[in-house]
């Protein structure tokens, strides 16, 4: 079956602009989590969506937001881009919410490489 | 600071040898752990997971060991191959805790010497 698909793969934006990234989870998976990966901070949790509801949120400013659609596809948006937002943004899909009593594997997409200039 | 960390940023091993990658975690409430492998230009790839009610779990050429007493996790790769070159991350989660996703360590870069 198809894996996690993220689009676009690469993106270059200017400071102050906004950006929207997309993630299509594995078929049947209802949870989508987003992570930011940078050389300095490593992989950091942004937020998780399940059944169109945000379930958990990491320690990121309000400029970072997301949503999930009824087909489980998810988007994340970053407004007023800053140079420090340059990173690889990864999305992970899982059957259920991470941190639920039913542990589940989380599968990652290839990521979107965002460069802010 | 990091809830989950790794002891070495880089590990170099000879092809055919066994590799051991270590990870220390600080949150005693964590009860689910995953090892991921990330190759250059790709997203993290699930390798193996383990729950806190287990001490050891084996997969194909990989073994994960969990020592809850000292909060230590390790990944053993048998007969290391060139394709094993990657950055390896451990990640933790807390069941039922509504935890904030997976908490990752900074990663160990495994280099395979021919």
């Amino acid at each position: 079956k198809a894996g996690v698909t993220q689009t676009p793969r690469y993106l270059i934006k200017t400071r102050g602009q906004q950006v929207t990234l997309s993630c299509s989870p594995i078929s049947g998976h209802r949870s989508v989590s987003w992570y930011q990966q940078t050389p300095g901070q490593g992989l950091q949790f942004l937020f998780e969506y399940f059944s169109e509801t945000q379930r958990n949120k990491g320690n990121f400013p309000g400029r970072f937001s997301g949503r999930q659609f009824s087909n489980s596809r998810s988007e994340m948006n970053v407004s007023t881009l800053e140079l420090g937002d340059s990173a690889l943004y990864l999305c992970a899909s899982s059957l259920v919410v991470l941190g639920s009593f039913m542990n589940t594997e989380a599968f990652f997409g290839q990521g979107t490489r965002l460069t802010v200039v | 600071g990091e809830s989950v960390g790794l002891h070495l940023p880089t590990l170099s091993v000879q092809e055919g040898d066994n590799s051991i990658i270590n990870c220390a975690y600080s949150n005693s409430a964590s009860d689910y752990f995953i090892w991921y492998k990330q190759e250059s230009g790709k997203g993290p790839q699930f390798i193996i997971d383990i729950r806190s009610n287990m001490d050891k779990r084996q997969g194909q050429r990989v073994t994960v060991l969990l020592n809850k007493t000292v909060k230590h996790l390790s990944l053993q790769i048998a007969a290391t191959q060139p394709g094993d070159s990657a950055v390896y991350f451990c990640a933790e989660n807390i069941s039922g805790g509504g935890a904030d996703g997976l908490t990752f360590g900074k990663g160990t870069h495994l280099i395979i010497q021919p």
Side-chain angles (χ1 to χ4, degrees):
Chain A
K1 59 182 177 184
V4 180
T5 304
Q6 291 188 245
T7 56
R9 287 294 310 277
Y10 303 93
L11 207 49
I12 300 175
K13 289 286 187 178
T14 306
R15 273 185 303 174
Q17 287 187 310
Q18 73 158 16
V19 66
T20 299
L21 312 180
S22 178
C23 173
S24 293
I26 292 170
S27 178
H29 283 194
R30 297 171 63 191
S31 172
V32 174
S33 304
W34 288 90
Y35 294 81
Q36 181 195 65
Q37 186 175 30
T38 59
Q41 299 299 316
L43 276 152
Q44 293 186 292
F45 172 74
L46 280 157
F47 28 66
E48 180 176 17
Y49 285 87
F50 182 82
S51 293
E52 303 176 64
T53 303
Q54 187 180 92
R55 299 301 297 265
N56 294 302
K57 186 171 176 15
N59 189 26
F60 278 82
R63 298 185 297 106
F64 292 80
S65 63
R67 59 177 175 169
Q68 187 180 35
F69 302 94
S70 58
N71 62 358
S72 295
R73 188 178 71 85
S74 176
E75 291 181 345
M76 68 162 282
N77 184 77
V78 187
S79 62
T80 320
L81 284 165
E82 301 177 359
L83 295 179
D85 297 333
S86 295
L88 180 66
Y89 289 89
L90 291 158
C91 133
S93 97
S94 54
L95 276 170
V96 296
V97 175
L98 290 172
S100 66
F101 285 104
M102 179 181 162
N103 287 325
T104 182
E105 303 169 7
F107 297 92
F108 282 84
Q110 300 275 52
T112 294
R113 172 73 63 185
L114 172 65
T115 302
V116 182
V117 298
Chain B
E2 288 284 328
S3 174
V4 181
L6 287 160
H7 295 304
L8 292 173
T10 303
L11 176 65
S12 183
V13 299
Q14 290 291 126
E15 182 179 348
D17 287 352
N18 296 335
S19 302
I20 300 176
I21 301 172
N22 295 304
C23 177
Y25 64 95
S26 58
N27 191 342
S28 57
S30 295
D31 60 359
Y32 180 55
F33 305 89
I34 309 174
W35 280 101
Y36 284 95
K37 170 187 180 183
Q38 188 174 26
E39 297 173 280
S40 181
K42 297 184 178 181
Q45 176 188 353
F46 176 94
I47 301 174
I48 192 168
D49 61 356
I50 189 168
R51 301 177 187 184
S52 61
N53 61 350
M54 303 171 71
D55 296 323
K56 179 180 179 179
R57 191 168 186 217
Q58 289 184 290
Q60 188 175 16
R61 280 203 308 120
V62 295
T63 301
V64 55
L65 299 177
L66 175 62
N67 185 331
K68 295 180 286 295
T69 302
V70 295
K71 290 184 283 195
H72 184 268
L73 192 69
S74 69
L75 176 70
Q76 300 178 2
I77 305 173
T80 312
Q81 302 169 358
D84 295 328
S85 289
V87 179
Y88 290 80
F89 295 94
C90 61
E92 64 168 320
N93 194 241
I94 302 172
S95 301
D100 298 332
L102 293 169
T103 301
F104 283 85
K106 288 198 179 297
T108 292
H109 185 191
L110 180 64
I111 298 171
I112 311 303
Q113 303 284 0

